[in-house]
Amino acid sequence: AELLEMVIGEAPAPGQDLTNETVGNLRALYRGSALGNAGNRGLDDDFSRATYIQTQLDTILLDRVVAGGLDLVVLTGNPGDGKTSFLEMVRVALLDRGGSTVEDDKSGWRIVLGEHSFVAVYDASESNGELSSDDLMNQALEPPAGVTRQQHTALIAANDGRLIQFFTDYEDQYEDLSLEIHKQLKGRGDPKSRVVVVDLKRRSLASLTDVDSLGIRVLDSFVASPLWDVCNACASRRVCPLRMNAESLRGPAREGVAELILISHLRRQRRATFRDLRSALAWMITGDRSCDDVHRSREEGIDLTKDRRSLFFDLAFDGDAADDLVREWATIDPSEVSAPEVEREFRHLGLGLKDRTESRNLLRSLQRRIFFRSATEPADLHESVLSYRFLTRFKEALQDPGQDNFLDDVLLGISRIAGAPGYDQLGLAIASRLGKGIWAVLKIVDRTEFELSARKGDDSFVEAIPELLELRNQAGAKLEIPLDTFELILRAANGELLNDPYSDALRQEIEGFAAQLYQQPSAELILVDAFGTKIGARREGSDVILEKR
C-alpha cells in the first residue's frame, strides 16, 4: 500500500541523472553512514573547511593569540567540540601572516612568526612516537633556546582531568601556571592574565533570543543554494527528497531545528558538540541516501518524496537512527503528544476518513510538520504539539527572571507538589499532617524571602547562555531549576496532578527543598480540616491570631 502511494503520477522531468557532491559530503558527516564518517573530524577535507562556522574563538581569541599576547591557551571540552579545528585556524592565520613551520605532525605543530614562537598540541593525553604525553606537554610549555617566555605561546587541547593531573604532577616546575589554571577552572581567573583556559563544554549551539545561533549557521551552510544548484538540471529533481529537504530547511523549518537544538541544550542530559550536530543535520537532509538511490527509485516509478522515511520532519525524530542526538530528539517527538486541537483539524480536513493505521500515520506526519512550521499547516497549532508546553516561558524567565510573575508561579507550583494541591495564594506553602491525617497544616513562607535568578557561564570566549534558574531562600536553601523541573513546576501551578513515575526524581528534589524550609519560623499558617475548610493563623508579636471559621 505504501509503494502504491509512492508511484510517480506525472511525466519525468527533462534532464540527466546528475550527482551532487554535497550529498556525499553530508553523508560522510553522519555517524552511521554506509559510507563511513571520515568527514566528521576537524577540518580534514574541503567540505569541512567550506562549511566551517566562525565562533567567538575566531572573532575574539584568535587575534590575541596571533599577536603574541598570551603565554598559554588551554582548550578543554568533549571530542567534537572544535578544539582541533580552532588550532588549525590559528595555524592558517600564522602562516598567512608570514609564519614559518618548524614542525608539523599528527601530534601538533610549531611555527615561528617574527621573533615569536608558537606551538600547538592536539591532544595532551596522547603520546607521539618515543615521546610520552608528559614529554609533549613539557616541550610545548618550554620556550626554545634563545626565546624568552614572553616570546613563546603554547596552545594545548586537553580534557579537564588530564589538565589537572599534569599541573598537579608538575606543580613545582610550573607553579605560576598551575595556580592560574586551577583558579580559572573554578571560575576565579584574572581577566588580564596571559594564561587562558577555555571550557568548550560551556558553549551553546543554541540561542534564547535569535534563530541565527551557531547551530542554525551550521544548518545554513549545509543547505546554501549554491551547494544545491546542480540539482536544478537533474532528471530526478521533482522526486528527490534530498533536494526537497534542503529547500524546506532554508525556510520556516529553520525555527523548528533551532527549537530542537535549544531543547537539547536546556535539558542538560548531554551537551551536543559541533560533531554531534553536523551528524544529526546530515541525517535530516539525506537520510543516508545517495543521488544514485534517488535515480534508481525514479526509474522504478517510485517518488521518494512521498516516502514517510525520507523527509526531514520524519527523519528528525527517527529513534532507529544511528545518531545519539537524533535519538534524543525522538524522545520529544511531537507526533507522540496528545493534541486534540490537531486531531480536530485533522478530521476537518477529511484526513481521518481512511483506515485506522493510515489515519494514525497521517496524523503523526501532520503533527511533525506543524512542529517545523510547515507553510501548509495552521501556524497557531505549533504550541499544541510541543512536549515542553512551557518552553517559551522558560526562555523568558532565563532572560529576565524578575519579571512576569515567574517567582509567584514557581512558588505556587512547588507548593502544590509539596503537598498543598489546592493552594492558590502567594508565597510557598509547605504541608504537614497532624494526627492521623484529619488535619493538614500549611506553613506559608513569604514570597519576599525568595529570589529567582538565572545562572550563566563565562562567555568571554564561548557563546554561553543562561541554562537554568536558581531559587534561593534567605535561610540558605536553594533549588536548581532546569527545563524539566520548570516544566513540572508550571504544570503543577496550572492545576495538573502529577503522579507518574517519570517525574518521581524531580518531585523528590522539590520536596527536599521544601523540607529544608519547614523548620524555619513563619508568620502565617493555614489549617485545613477533613472537609477542606481552611482556617488562617498569623503571628503578631508574641501572639498567634486564629481567624474565625
Side-chain angles (χ1 to χ4, degrees):
E2 290 183 3
L3 288 172
L4 287 173
E5 287 185 5
M6 293 159 57
V7 170
I8 296 176
E10 58 181 316
Q16 298 178 329
D17 290 354
L18 302 179
T19 297
N20 187 343
E21 292 183 0
T22 298
V23 173
N25 289 327
L26 286 174
R27 292 181 65 200
L29 299 178
Y30 170 52
R31 291 183 188 277
S33 176
L35 294 178
N37 64 341
N40 214 346
R41 298 290 185 276
L43 298 176
D44 290 342
D45 56 38
D46 291 339
F47 184 75
S48 295
R49 287 187 285 272
T51 55
Y52 178 79
I53 300 301
Q54 281 202 336
T55 70
Q56 287 182 194
L57 293 181
D58 304 287
T59 58
I60 297 177
L61 182 60
L62 189 144
D63 285 342
R64 286 187 63 186
V65 172
V66 174
L70 299 171
D71 298 336
L72 174 62
V73 176
V74 180
L75 304 170
T76 72
N78 296 316
D81 266 327
K83 301 183 292 295
T84 304
S85 296
F86 176 68
L87 294 179
E88 175 64 12
M89 297 303 290
V90 174
R91 186 184 74 85
V92 171
L94 291 171
L95 295 178
D96 286 347
R97 287 164 173 78
S100 301
T101 301
V102 178
E103 297 176 22
D104 191 356
D105 58 31
K106 65 177 184 179
S107 68
W109 46 259
R110 188 181 296 270
I111 294 175
V112 174
L113 177 61
E115 297 181 350
H116 203 96
S117 170
F118 298 85
V119 60
V121 176
Y122 290 143
D123 190 342
S125 301
E126 291 187 355
S127 58
N128 184 28
E130 297 181 356
L131 296 177
S132 68
S133 58
D134 281 0
D135 293 336
L136 288 174
M137 287 280 284
N138 282 310
Q139 280 191 3
L141 293 170
E142 291 295 337
V147 176
T148 66
R149 288 199 175 275
Q150 286 70 35
Q151 295 175 315
H152 179 69
T153 299
L155 301 105
I156 296 171
N159 62 51
D160 296 354
R162 169 58 177 153
L163 188 63
I164 293 171
Q165 176 251 321
F166 178 85
F167 281 102
T168 299
D169 293 346
Y170 292 87
E171 187 174 8
D172 293 341
Q173 186 173 339
Y174 305 108
E175 184 176 353
D176 292 342
L177 292 179
S178 177
L179 179 62
E180 182 60 28
I181 284 173
H182 280 87
K183 285 167 60 179
Q184 291 198 30
L185 287 174
K186 296 176 181 177
R188 300 198 299 266
D190 182 355
K192 298 180 181 179
S193 173
R194 290 178 62 89
V195 176
V196 170
V197 178
V198 181
D199 186 355
L200 294 176
K201 297 188 298 298
R202 296 173 181 166
R203 178 163 60 194
S204 171
L205 302 180
S207 170
L208 292 174
T209 58
D210 190 357
V211 174
D212 189 26
S213 61
L214 289 179
I216 290 302
R217 286 163 57 194
V218 173
L219 173 65
D220 290 345
S221 73
F222 286 176
V223 300
S225 294
L227 296 180
W228 297 88
D229 283 347
V230 64
C231 301
N232 295 336
C234 181
S236 298
R237 59 185 180 273
R238 294 176 183 168
V239 293
C240 179
L242 317 182
R243 180 172 181 257
M244 180 178 289
N245 289 339
E247 289 180 346
S248 298
L249 290 169
R250 291 185 208 124
R254 292 171 74 247
E255 295 184 45
V257 178
E259 204 158 66
L260 284 177
I261 298 171
L262 178 62
I263 290 173
S264 181
H265 184 84
L266 295 178
R267 292 178 85 188
R268 308 180 83 238
Q269 295 181 2
R270 62 187 304 276
R271 186 56 48 84
T273 65
F274 270 117
R275 186 179 300 165
D276 295 330
L277 182 62
R278 287 164 71 87
S279 172
L281 294 178
W283 167 255
M284 283 180 63
I285 297 168
T286 69
D288 202 28
R289 277 195 170 92
S290 68
C291 293
D292 286 341
D293 293 333
V294 178
H295 299 326
R296 192 178 305 113
S297 294
R298 189 202 78 233
E299 291 169 357
E300 295 172 353
I302 298 299
D303 181 352
L304 288 178
T305 63
K306 299 177 182 177
D307 183 0
R308 298 190 185 100
R309 295 174 294 274
S310 296
L311 299 180
F312 73 94
F313 50 80
D314 289 320
L315 293 172
F317 303 105
D318 187 347
D320 295 325
D323 186 278
D324 293 336
L325 188 54
V326 173
R327 286 199 294 265
E328 180 188 345
W329 291 344
T331 65
I332 54 172
D333 186 348
S335 72
E336 299 296 332
V337 175
S338 176
E341 303 94 330
V342 176
E343 294 190 29
R344 284 194 292 272
E345 180 71 16
F346 183 71
R347 289 193 295 272
H348 175 70
L349 295 174
L351 299 176
L353 302 178
K354 304 175 184 292
D355 68 80
R356 180 173 299 179
T357 300
E358 189 176 356
S359 292
R360 177 56 186 155
N361 288 335
L362 287 171
L363 180 59
R364 286 169 61 89
S365 182
L366 177 64
Q367 292 192 192
R368 288 170 174 173
R369 293 200 306 273
I370 290 172
F371 175 85
F372 280 106
R373 297 168 173 82
S374 169
T376 60
E377 313 303 342
D380 58 350
L381 292 177
H382 175 75
E383 296 282 337
S384 65
V385 300
L386 293 181
S387 296
Y388 290 94
R389 298 207 305 264
F390 297 98
L391 175 64
T392 300
R393 291 273 288 161
F394 189 59
K395 288 166 56 179
E396 294 169 349
L398 289 174
Q399 294 172 69
D400 192 353
Q403 300 296 319
D404 201 25
N405 299 322
F406 290 122
L407 176 61
D408 293 333
D409 288 346
V410 166
L411 293 179
L412 178 60
I414 292 176
S415 299
R416 293 181 170 180
I417 292 172
Y423 183 70
D424 58 2
Q425 301 177 30
L426 298 179
L428 176 66
I430 309 170
S432 176
R433 296 199 174 275
L434 300 177
K436 297 182 179 179
I438 298 175
W439 288 81
V441 177
L442 303 183
K443 182 175 183 176
I444 310 301
V445 184
D446 194 271
R447 67 182 304 279
T448 59
E449 297 184 23
F450 294 93
E451 179 185 8
L452 187 67
S453 60
R455 201 166 76 192
K456 181 180 180 180
D458 181 9
D459 60 356
S460 301
F461 300 111
V462 295
E463 292 80 354
I465 62 172
E467 55 191 52
L468 58 80
L469 298 170
E470 189 172 82
L471 180 64
R472 283 184 174 270
N473 178 265
Q474 292 177 357
K478 71 174 184 177
L479 176 68
E480 291 185 346
I481 307 177
L483 174 60
D484 284 284
T485 305
F486 186 82
E487 178 78 14
L488 185 74
I489 289 173
L490 258 67
R491 287 193 181 203
N494 277 263
E496 188 170 331
L497 297 178
L498 306 165
N499 58 2
D500 60 287
Y502 304 105
S503 59
D504 280 349
L506 297 178
R507 288 205 307 270
Q508 288 175 11
E509 187 177 357
I510 293 168
E511 290 166 356
F513 169 76
Q516 294 180 59
L517 299 173
Y518 190 74
Q519 300 302 321
Q520 299 299 318
S522 173
E524 184 180 359
L525 290 174
I526 297 177
L527 306 176
V528 185
D529 65 19
F531 302 100
T533 304
K534 299 177 182 178
I535 307 169
R538 67 184 187 279
R539 187 179 62 204
E540 293 184 1
S542 58
D543 297 329
V544 175
I545 309 300
L546 191 67
E547 296 178 353
K548 293 182 179 180
R549 298 186 63 170

